[in-house]
Every structure is written in C-alpha cells, then in structure tokens.
Amino acid sequence: MRDNFIEYFENKVKKTIDDYKLVNKKDRTIVACSGGKDSTTTLYLLKKFGYNVEGLIIDLRIGEWSEKNLKNVKHFCEGLGVPLHVLDMRKEFGCSICYIRSGIQSKEKLNNCAICGVIKRWMLNKKARTLKGVRLATGHNLDDEAETVLMTFFKGKPEIMLGAGPHTTGIMDDKFVPRIKPLYFCSNKEVARYSKYRKFPVLYDPCPCSIGTYRRDIRMWLAELERHFPGIKDNIVNNFLALLPAIKKKYNPDRKLRYCSVCEEPSRNEICKRCEMIKILFS
Ligand code: SF4
Ligand SMILES: [Zn+2]
C-alpha cells in the first residue's frame, strides 16, 4: 500500500515535469523552501530525479515558527547534500515580516498574505537570479492552484492568471527567473501522505499569520464543496488549463515586463508591488 502510493505519486510528479518540460537536468534549479511539506517534497523529488537543485529559504522571522522551519530545512538539505541559501528578513529589510506587515496595515487594509506574498516573490526572484538559477521551483499543489483560479475569477481579474499553470510561460526577460510547479497535479492530501510516508521533518501546522485571509476562506469553502462533489478541484484546474491559451491570447499577445522605476526589478507597472508597499510603510 505504502510502496504503491509512493510509486504512484512519484510517477505523477515525473510526468508533470516531462509533459510540461519544466526543467532540464543540468539547469540550475533553485527551490523555494519554506519548511512545509510541499516545498520539502519538491526539493526531495527534484534531487531524487537527478536535477541540479539548490535550496533557498527566507527567514521571515515569525518567531518560533520560522526558527523551527529554518532548522528543519537546514538539516534536510545537509542530509540530501543540497546547498542551501538563506535570506534573512532582518538583514534584507532591517526588520521581521511581522513589523513590515503591521506598519502597512496601520495605513492600508491589506491582509497578511497579500503583503508577505509580494515581498517574498520579489526577494525570491532577485536572489534566484543572483544565484544564476535557470528555474525557480515552488511547492504549489493542486489545491493551491484551484484556490488561485477561483480567487482571481471572483476578483474579476483574469489577466492575473497569466502566471498560473505548471510553469510561467511567455515571459522572456533576463531579470525574471521562470517559475515551475512540479506538484501541480498533486492534491494537498496526496502531498501530506507522501511527506508522512517519507517521514520528512516538516511542520504540518499552517503559518500562524495566515489567519483571516481570503485564501483561507476559499480553501475552507472548496473543502466543503469537495466533500459534496469529489473531484471538483481537479475539474477547476483542468478546465482552467483548457482555457489558459485563450486567456493568454486575449491578455498577453506579447508579454513584456518593464522594470520598476524604484528598484529596477521586473514589474507590470511603473512601480512594482513591493516598492508600492514599502512606500505605504514609510508614508
Ligand atoms: S501563509 Fe501568508 S503570511 Fe504566512 S508565510 Fe505564507 S504568505 Fe506569508
Ligand atoms: Zn520595485
């Protein structure tokens, strides 16, 4: 039973990597590690399949939660013989993510993950590029993607979905490291089961700061729907993939990034979201 599941799961991930040509064996692939089951599984499998991987973790400085995750990831990478790079929020920004968040939230109504996500993406892309990464792998799974699809539909901004899918395609820019999601077709339950079978040293509790977010509401609602209509998450993701070429055609005929006028990092607008947030913080 255990061995069958492990084989099934690993084949599924391998098939995603092959079918979508996510990465070549020799390309340096930076894996964004958080200490959770998804990114740990991603790192483990890419290494197991013979890819050229290095880990990258942001120490967000969310108290004990960050400390435990950092310790686990360091230990795990050592065991696998994978180089690990650590970005420390205190060194990069002079304070923890919590401080940045509360400073912004005292001026604008933005939820924790909206702020943290923007800052993390900015840091990961910049560091992955500095490390000469050809791909940036994340642990996003099927549940995450189903949630993202619904969130963007509900917000009425289909153009945001251009970055969705097993890999970011259509963005050709030297400063942007393309993202890949090897666990794209694996459900949250499957990843948890695999991680437990493998006895990965990970925290299964959600991030203590993910409370009261739009994503968490959608997650709970989707879980309820899935109970009544099994397979609904697969359907959301597969139908989205079928529509993606049409969405790209309409919103992204020739997608070019511009550079933020403040930090010079890739951006869709004149000022990137990260710099907009920092501006709010110091306003
Ligand atoms: S769950 Fe939200 S607040 Fe926590 S690390 Fe992820 S993006 Fe940041
Ligand atoms: Zn910027």
Side-chain angles (χ1 to χ4, degrees):
M1 181 93 160
R2 177 188 180 275
D3 291 348
N4 286 350
F5 175 76
I6 284 184
E7 194 185 342
Y8 152 82
F9 185 87
E10 291 185 354
N11 284 338
K12 197 174 189 178
V13 178
K14 225 180 248 168
K15 189 169 173 358
T16 305
I17 297 171
D18 292 344
D19 286 357
Y20 287 87
K21 298 185 177 49
L22 294 189
V23 61
N24 293 321
K25 289 253 155 101
K26 284 188 184 153
D27 289 345
R28 179 175 291 162
T29 301
I30 308 298
V31 181
C33 301
S34 66
K37 67 184 190 319
D38 304 290
S39 54
T40 302
T41 299
T42 304
L43 179 75
Y44 174 82
L45 284 179
L46 286 173
K47 174 74 181 166
K48 183 175 181 196
F49 297 156
Y51 290 91
N52 175 12
V53 285
E54 296 185 15
L56 171 60
I57 184 168
I58 302 177
D59 183 359
L60 293 167
R61 299 280 187 161
I62 308 179
E64 208 185 320
W65 189 76
S66 289
E67 283 166 22
K68 281 188 186 161
N69 280 318
L70 184 60
K71 198 172 147 209
N72 284 342
V73 173
K74 277 184 177 167
H75 184 241
F76 192 69
C77 286
E78 267 168 33
L80 280 183
V82 166
L84 176 68
H85 309 274
V86 182
L87 277 174
D88 183 347
M89 278 304 291
R90 286 239 169 92
K91 282 192 193 135
E92 303 293 320
F93 286 87
C95 55
S96 70
I97 191 73
C98 310
Y99 181 86
I100 296 178
R101 260 190 340 239
S102 50
I104 294 172
Q105 284 166 338
S106 67
K107 293 163 189 166
E108 289 260 343
K109 199 170 173 283
L110 285 166
N111 74 48
N112 290 351
C113 294
I115 298 168
C116 181
V118 162
I119 292 180
K120 281 197 310 185
R121 277 194 295 277
W122 183 91
M123 291 172 81
L124 288 171
N125 183 67
K126 194 173 176 195
K127 186 68 181 174
R129 186 180 73 238
T130 314
L131 293 169
K132 302 201 176 350
V134 175
R135 294 285 183 274
L136 175 61
T138 63
H140 288 95
N141 64 36
L142 183 103
D143 291 48
D144 299 322
E145 191 75 353
E147 290 157 16
T148 303
V149 169
L150 287 189
M151 283 163 68
T152 45
F153 263 128
F154 291 163
K155 281 182 181 167
K157 291 183 178 172
E159 69 276 13
I160 301 176
M161 293 165 132
L162 293 170
H167 49 39
T168 46
T169 51
I171 307 176
M172 304 298 280
D173 190 287
D174 289 348
K175 283 191 158 187
F176 179 77
V177 183
R179 318 242 164 90
I180 58 168
K181 302 170 192 168
L183 306 185
Y184 191 83
F185 294 104
C186 304
S187 72
N188 199 44
K189 266 193 194 155
E190 286 176 326
V191 185
R193 193 172 165 197
Y194 182 81
S195 170
K196 284 176 185 167
Y197 275 160
R198 287 278 185 209
K199 297 189 171 43
F200 288 152
V202 300
L203 299 182
Y204 289 94
D205 299 334
C207 163
C209 302
S210 63
I211 38 167
T213 62
Y214 188 33
R215 180 175 288 277
R216 193 175 260 200
D217 292 345
I218 296 282
R219 183 171 303 158
M220 286 163 70
W221 181 66
L222 256 181
E224 186 61 27
L225 279 178
E226 182 78 34
R227 261 192 293 282
H228 295 290
F229 309 105
I232 202 167
K233 291 179 201 164
D234 289 87
N235 290 344
I236 291 170
V237 169
N238 288 323
N239 286 329
F240 162 69
L241 285 178
L243 290 173
L244 190 56
I247 298 174
K248 283 192 169 157
K249 204 169 167 196
K250 182 166 165 68
Y251 293 97
N252 186 30
D254 181 18
R255 197 173 178 206
K256 283 216 166 59
L257 287 177
R258 43 207 292 201
Y259 298 122
C260 170
S261 59
V262 180
C263 67
E264 297 184 354
E265 287 299 304
S267 171
R268 290 209 193 114
N269 303 309
E270 202 207 322
I271 297 182
C272 76
K273 283 188 176 172
R274 174 262 187 197
C275 290
E276 271 175 11
M277 290 201 177
I278 300 297
K279 210 165 118 192
I280 298 170
L281 181 64
F282 292 111
S283 62

